[in-house]
């Protein structure tokens, strides 16, 4: 067994390129690993570093599709299975019930049941309910699910009329105020300092906010932000209670750390006390909820607050093809701001796929019809509807796509609707299946059922499910059929994975899935906003409405707001595994004035466009950085870069490939062809030794640039774009030797 925090070398065939399934996937019903060491099987070197770094502060910078959930769940499971962590002493925190449920499900599959995986609000609410009698006394206020009616009552009490949109926006301002710990009297200056565009006069919002708080007290109710605020207040004021919580939880894991609000960070600090057994996971380039008070500063400042932290960077993308990853990297390469300075450049671990498709339509209905038509073609070619998604910037865009899919006879589901196991038809089906499991011997429906799937089909036939084609069109009838069909499909998969499984076994599996909110796949194209698509993935993604005014959205005025819109598009791109379709319409309605243009974010990335902004390569290569103890507050030095110019004609270069060559593509090359071929042959050897694709060693363009400049010293080699310090240290001696005409020993690995 490797020592905690020390690198351990896995068998290359389990993780290297070409020998691994997507790290964000697992089989449907896997068997728990036999031993603690077996938990580590299949992890790549960086994921394994995460899994074995069980002590002290750990910061995991994880790019999209790099298997971060896999890494942290295996970390917890390894610690539990090795006897280093007690399950009841671990609290894993994330931001959605779905993510927390997925984490609990994975931990159960890894043999680490008993670990608490919750949202911040859920964990705080449990503590608040438990300690309320001791800390406050009396009855705890009732928790209201939605605060919008209370806000409406507060506005009416202030004699301020709000339309529906204003009511929603003022509610959002109150939520932002509370998570940033801003009281009503301080709202106006705090909003101005944060650059927020208030939907009403700030003084009016402050007045509504103040009355809203009074109404809650009068009615003895509290909102979700109060849950956090009250828990923080109790832990701050009652040291005995804080000590009790800290004695319960010894180790903390926080997922999506870039989305932590100041209030959540304060609660986390109170949970921790003076300890540092904390592992945080995040990606500043996926910060898309700043309007709710989320900030990546806690993630980016982690090393400053914890100078001894271990930092692990995950950049191997197991989700998307090189073509999708290239577009995602290109989007961030044009970004600016603090999050962009810490971006990670992803390296795809998948085989090559098709290039992203860019389509321009005359109007929005044509765009919706075009997407529906292409989806029908994909489904006819064998792509399941559940592996296709249409993603848009605002929920208002959904309607035209719902109509177009219904007209085309394509099933769909709306992301953000009620949770699967809360649907009435699913609850009724569960009751029917549970009854059949108990008393099935007396049920004539099951007389002809010979196996588990046929038993489930028979039981659900009494709930209105049939094996015929699904109902035509859309609406409640179709959604009900899709829900029951998902249960039938789950039964088939369960029976195939568990030989001899009974109806009672399936009911137990459904109960566990309901507790974990691990819903089966519903067979329908997913319609979702870009915000609600975070954390999900599909084989095929249609990014629609990618035009100026919608992406970035019109009300994104400041540089910071525009950059968040860019990150939102990045999140959308990285949802696609293989096929990516990007489209926009020149006008909203047929016959309208065609005055729209594609999003500026696509400049220099889509065919025929020119880049407007260029940036240096990302600093976020994968690997591990150990903690340091000196000058933790020292800021990294920034290097001013002059524009790249062609060394032949002097033209300013913006294309990444031309910048690597340091010349225009059309300008004459003085490359030594023999040297280039020797470099390519050497690169192939290095790629095989490291288990990576060739381009991960050096791209063709970088090799061409080396063959053209023929460097003789490390400094000359380092000046070639694409030769980063890490690669210079690893491969520099070999490359310079090849350029000097020397023969290398067979099998040299560059180290």
């Amino acid at each position: 067994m490797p020592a905690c925090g020390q690198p351990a070398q896995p068998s290359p065939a389990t993780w290297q390129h070409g020998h691994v399934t997507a790290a964000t996937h697992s089989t449907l019903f896997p068997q728990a690993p036999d031993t603690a060491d077996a938990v580590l099987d299949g992890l790549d070197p960086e994921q394994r570093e995460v899994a074995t770094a069980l002590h002290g502060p750990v910061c995991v910078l994880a790019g999209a599709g790099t298997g971060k959930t896999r890494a942290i769940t295996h970390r917890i499971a390894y610690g539990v299975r090795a006897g280093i962590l007690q399950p009841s002493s671990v609290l894993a925190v994330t931001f959605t019930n779905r993510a927390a449920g997925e984490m609990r499900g994975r931990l159960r599959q890894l043999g680490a049941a008993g670990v608490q995986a919750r949202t911040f609000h859920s964990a705080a609410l449990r503590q608040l309910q438990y300690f309320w009698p001791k800390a406050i006394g009396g009855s705890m206020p009732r928790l209201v699910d939605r605060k919008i009616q209370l806000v409406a009552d507060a506005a009416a009490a202030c004699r301020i009329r709000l339309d529906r949109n204003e009511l929603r926006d003022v509610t959002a301002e109150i939520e932002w105020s509370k998570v940033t710990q801003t009281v009503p009297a301080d709202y106006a200056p705090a909003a101005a300092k944060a650059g927020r565009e208030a939907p009403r006069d700030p003084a009016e919002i402050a007045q509504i906010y103040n009355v809203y708080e009074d109404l809650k007290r009068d009615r003895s109710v509290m909102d979700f932000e109060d849950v956090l605020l009250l828990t923080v207040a109790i832990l701050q004021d009652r040291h005995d209670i804080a000590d009790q919580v800290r004695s319960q939880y010894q180790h903390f894991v926080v997922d999506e750390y870039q989305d932590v609000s100041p209030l959540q960070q304060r609660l986390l600090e109170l949970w921790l006390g003076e300890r540092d057994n904390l592992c945080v996971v995040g990606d500043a380039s996926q910060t898309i909820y700043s309007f709710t008070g989320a900030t990546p500063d806690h993630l980016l400042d982690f090393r400053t607050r914890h100078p001894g932290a271990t930092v692990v960077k995950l950049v191997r993308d197991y989700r998307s093809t090189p073509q999708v990853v290239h577009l995602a990297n290109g989007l961030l390469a044009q970004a600016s701001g603090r999050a962009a300075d810490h971006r990670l450049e992803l390296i795809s671990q998948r085989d090559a796929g098709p290039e992203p498709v860019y389509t321009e339509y005359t109007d929005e209905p044509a765009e919706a019809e075009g997407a529906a038509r292409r989806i029908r073609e994909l489904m006819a070619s064998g792509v399941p509807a559940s592996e296709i998604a249409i993603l848009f910037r605002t929920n208002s865009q959904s309607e035209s796509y719902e109509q177009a899919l219904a007209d085309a006879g394509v099933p769909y589901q709306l992301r953000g609707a009620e949770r699967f196991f809360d649907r009435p038809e699913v609850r009724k089906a569960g009751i029917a299946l549970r009854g059949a499991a108990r008393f099935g011997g007396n049920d004539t429906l099951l007389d002809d059922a010979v196996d588990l799937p046929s038993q489930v089909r028979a039981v659900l036939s009494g709930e209105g499910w049939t094996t015929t084609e699904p109902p035509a069109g859309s609406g409640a009838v179709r959604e009900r059929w899709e829900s029951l069909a998902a249960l039938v499909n789950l039964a088939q998969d369960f029976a195939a994975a568990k030989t001899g499984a009974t109806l009672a076994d399936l009911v137990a599996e459904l109960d566990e899935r309901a507790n974990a909110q691990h819903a089966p796949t519903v067979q329908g194209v997913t319609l979702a906003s870009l915000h609600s698509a975070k954390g999900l993935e599909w084989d095929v993604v249609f990014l629609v409405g990618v035009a100026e005014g919608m992406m970035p959205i019109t009300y994104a005025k400041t540089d910071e707001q525009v950059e968040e819109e860019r990150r939102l598009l990045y999140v959308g791109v990285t949802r696609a595994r293989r096929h990516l379709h990007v489209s926009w319409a020149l006008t909203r309605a047929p016959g309208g004035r065609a005055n729209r243009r594609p999003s500026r974010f696509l400049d220099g990335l889509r065919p025929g466009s020119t880049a407007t902004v260029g940036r240096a390569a990302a600093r976020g290569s994968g690997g591990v950085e150990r903690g340091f103890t000196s000058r933790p507050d020292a800021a990294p030095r920034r290097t001013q870069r002059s524009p790249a110019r062609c060394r032949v004609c002097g033209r300013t270069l913006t294309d990444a490939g031309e910048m690597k060559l340091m010349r225009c593509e059309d300008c004459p090359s003085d490359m030594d062809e023999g040297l280039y071929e020797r470099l390519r042959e050497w690169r192939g050897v290095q790629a095989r030794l490291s288990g990576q694709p060739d381009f991960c060693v050096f791209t063709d363009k970088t090799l061409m640039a080396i063959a053209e400049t023929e460097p003789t010293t490390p400094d000359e080699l380092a000046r070639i774009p694409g030769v980063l310090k890490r690669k210079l240290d690893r491969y520099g001696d070999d490359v310079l030797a090849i350029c000097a005409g020397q023969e290398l020993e067979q099998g040299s690995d560059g180290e």
Side-chain angles (χ1 to χ4, degrees):
M1 183 187 301
C4 293
Q6 299 303 312
Q9 295 302 317
S11 170
T14 63
W15 63 266
Q16 290 180 338
H17 181 67
H19 299 273
V20 71
T21 55
T24 52
H25 287 72
S26 61
T27 55
L28 190 59
F29 300 101
Q31 299 295 321
D34 294 332
T35 65
D37 283 349
V39 173
L40 303 178
D41 289 346
L43 300 182
D44 69 32
E46 292 79 30
Q47 291 171 344
R48 185 171 279 231
E49 283 283 354
V50 175
T52 55
L54 293 173
H55 298 291
V58 178
C59 179
V60 184
L61 302 177
T66 58
K68 68 178 179 64
T69 305
R70 178 183 176 87
I72 59 176
T73 51
H74 281 67
R75 178 184 191 269
I76 296 170
Y78 175 68
V80 169
R81 298 290 298 276
I84 299 169
L85 304 179
Q86 293 299 315
S88 60
S89 73
V90 180
L91 178 59
V93 188
T94 188
F95 281 80
T96 66
N97 288 317
R98 182 195 61 78
E102 179 185 357
M103 192 176 292
R104 288 194 295 271
R106 292 201 190 194
L107 289 169
R108 176 167 61 93
Q109 292 168 354
L110 291 169
V115 173
Q116 292 292 312
R118 298 186 173 276
T119 65
F120 271 102
H121 286 89
S122 173
L125 181 59
R126 281 172 61 90
Q127 293 174 19
L128 191 63
Q129 290 170 331
Y130 183 81
F131 290 112
W132 185 273
K134 180 178 181 180
I136 309 296
S139 300
M140 193 174 82
R142 178 175 59 87
L143 180 63
V144 292
D145 291 335
R146 300 175 72 246
K147 61 173 65 67
I148 200 161
Q149 184 57 55
L150 270 171
V151 176
D153 293 346
C158 297
R159 301 182 181 276
I160 298 174
R161 294 178 59 88
L162 300 176
D163 62 31
R164 192 167 72 174
N165 289 333
E166 287 177 323
L167 182 59
R168 181 197 63 203
D169 292 343
V170 169
T171 301
E173 289 302 292
I174 291 175
E175 290 175 349
W176 172 82
S177 299
K178 300 188 75 167
V179 300
T180 56
Q181 303 175 80
T182 302
V183 297
D186 295 336
Y187 168 75
K193 183 178 180 180
R196 294 183 72 84
E197 191 170 326
R200 295 283 298 227
D201 183 290
E204 290 184 331
I205 294 177
Q207 184 182 4
I208 295 171
Y209 178 15
N210 190 56
V211 173
Y212 167 80
E213 292 296 315
D214 290 340
L215 284 178
K216 285 198 290 100
R217 281 190 291 272
D218 293 344
R219 299 177 185 182
S220 190
V221 297
M222 62 180 177
D223 59 30
F224 278 103
E225 289 74 37
D226 291 328
V227 171
L228 300 184
L229 286 164
L230 288 167
T231 305
V232 165
I234 289 174
L235 295 178
Q236 284 181 159
D237 295 344
R238 292 290 300 268
H239 298 295
D240 56 329
I241 292 176
D243 289 341
Q244 192 173 342
V245 172
R246 291 167 192 160
S247 67
Q248 169 71 46
Y249 296 116
Q250 306 291 325
H251 302 269
F252 296 86
V253 177
V254 184
D255 194 11
E256 304 289 2
Y257 194 55
Q258 76 279 352
D259 291 330
V260 166
S261 71
L263 179 56
Q264 290 164 334
Q265 175 64 23
R266 180 59 185 143
L267 178 58
L268 178 62
E269 291 168 353
L270 288 165
W271 282 340
L272 273 168
E274 299 300 318
R275 301 164 300 171
D276 63 358
N277 280 329
L278 170 66
C279 175
V280 300
V281 189
D283 179 10
S285 296
Q286 296 188 69
T287 305
I288 58 174
Y289 298 107
S290 67
F291 59 90
T292 67
T295 170
D297 289 346
H298 305 300
L299 175 67
L300 299 179
D301 294 337
F302 190 84
R303 194 73 176 268
T304 302
R305 296 195 313 276
H306 303 278
T310 296
V311 178
V312 185
K313 297 178 182 178
L314 304 183
V315 297
R316 302 175 199 259
D317 188 324
Y318 297 95
R319 176 187 299 158
S320 305
T321 63
Q323 288 73 16
V324 173
V325 167
H326 178 72
L327 175 57
N329 286 336
L331 281 170
L332 293 187
Q334 299 180 8
S336 61
R338 191 178 184 212
D341 289 339
H342 293 79
R343 71 191 185 282
L344 301 168
E345 188 164 10
L346 301 176
I347 303 172
S348 175
Q349 305 296 296
R350 295 194 58 178
D351 292 335
E355 291 289 340
V357 176
Y358 301 87
T359 309
E360 183 174 276
Y361 292 94
T362 55
D363 51 61
E364 289 184 1
E367 186 178 9
E369 291 166 8
R373 185 168 55 250
R374 179 63 184 130
I375 288 171
R376 284 203 62 173
E377 294 170 356
L378 287 165
M379 292 173 61
S381 71
V383 179
S386 59
E387 287 297 346
I388 304 173
I390 299 176
L391 307 182
F392 32 75
R393 176 61 181 84
T394 66
N395 288 319
S396 63
Q397 294 170 270
S398 173
E399 185 176 356
S400 59
Y401 291 92
E402 293 179 56
Q403 186 62 56
L405 292 174
D407 291 345
V410 175
Y412 67 88
Q413 58 172 332
L414 285 172
R415 179 71 193 167
E418 65 182 330
R419 295 186 294 186
F420 180 84
F421 288 104
D422 291 338
R423 297 176 185 176
E425 65 270 19
V426 174
R427 296 171 73 91
K428 285 187 64 180
I431 293 171
L433 289 169
R434 188 172 289 104
R438 290 178 179 174
F439 312 111
N442 301 321
D443 194 337
T444 56
L445 276 174
L446 302 180
D447 286 348
D448 298 325
V450 296
D451 55 17
L452 178 60
S454 60
Q455 289 176 337
V456 172
R457 286 192 291 268
V459 172
L460 295 188
S461 66
E463 301 301 316
W465 186 83
T466 64
T467 56
T468 59
E469 290 296 313
S474 58
V477 174
R478 178 59 178 263
E479 290 178 4
R480 185 173 184 274
W481 188 92
E482 295 287 357
S483 296
L484 298 180
L487 292 175
V488 172
N489 292 334
L490 178 67
Q492 293 170 339
D493 292 334
F494 186 70
K498 305 281 187 181
T499 304
T502 65
L503 201 54
D505 294 331
L506 177 65
V507 168
E509 174 67 22
L510 288 174
D511 287 343
E512 289 185 340
R513 281 172 168 259
N515 290 333
Q517 285 301 324
H518 182 192
T521 301
V522 176
Q523 292 301 317
V525 173
T526 300
L527 295 175
S529 70
L530 287 166
H531 282 100
S532 64
K534 177 80 164 58
L536 303 175
E537 59 187 78
W538 297 268
D539 280 346
V540 186
V541 168
F542 287 79
L543 292 176
V544 299
V546 189
E548 285 292 304
M550 192 60 73
M551 180 60 66
I553 199 78
T554 306
Y555 52 75
K557 305 293 187 184
T558 67
D559 290 343
E560 291 80 6
Q561 290 168 341
V562 170
E563 286 305 315
E564 181 149 338
E565 293 288 298
R566 187 194 305 276
R567 295 194 295 270
L568 189 57
L569 183 58
Y570 170 80
V571 166
V573 168
T574 54
R575 300 310 94 194
R577 298 192 195 109
R578 182 170 175 81
H579 297 275
L580 181 63
H581 297 258
V582 184
S583 64
W584 59 90
L586 296 177
T587 186
R588 180 177 181 181
R593 184 179 176 186
N595 58 356
R596 290 181 177 174
R597 63 173 295 269
S599 169
R600 72 190 76 168
F601 300 146
L602 300 178
D603 290 349
L605 301 175
R606 62 183 176 85
S609 64
T610 303
T612 55
V613 181
R615 289 179 58 85
R619 299 188 299 175
S621 58
V624 184
E625 299 173 12
R626 302 300 178 191
F628 60 88
T629 56
S630 62
R631 296 195 64 206
D633 56 341
R637 295 180 60 186
R638 303 184 65 122
T639 303
Q640 296 295 325
R641 294 179 177 265
S642 57
R645 299 189 183 277
C646 174
R647 54 190 169 84
V648 179
C649 69
R651 183 178 70 85
T652 299
L653 303 176
T654 56
D655 177 77
E658 291 182 343
M659 291 171 71
K660 282 190 175 182
L661 292 174
M662 292 306 292
R663 63 170 175 82
C664 303
E665 196 81 47
D666 298 328
C667 284
S669 169
D670 53 359
M671 182 178 69
D672 182 333
E673 295 286 348
L675 174 57
Y676 177 69
E677 289 304 319
R678 291 196 300 276
L679 288 167
R680 279 174 56 87
E681 182 179 349
W682 165 83
R683 180 184 65 177
V685 173
Q686 301 307 310
R688 287 192 297 275
L689 287 171
S690 62
Q692 296 179 325
D694 287 4
F695 66 80
C696 290
V697 180
F698 285 121
T699 65
D700 286 345
K701 285 289 198 317
T702 300
L703 292 187
M704 290 174 66
I706 294 171
E708 288 182 356
T709 56
E710 297 185 44
T712 60
T713 67
D715 286 344
E716 290 177 1
L717 180 59
R719 283 197 287 269
I720 297 174
V723 184
L724 303 176
K725 184 180 186 303
R726 176 173 55 87
K727 294 189 176 184
L728 181 66
D729 293 342
R730 183 179 179 108
Y731 302 122
D733 291 343
D734 275 12
V735 171
L736 291 173
I738 294 170
C739 290
Q742 300 172 15
E743 289 291 330
L744 298 179
E745 292 182 15
Q746 188 69 23
S748 170
D749 65 358
E751 293 185 336

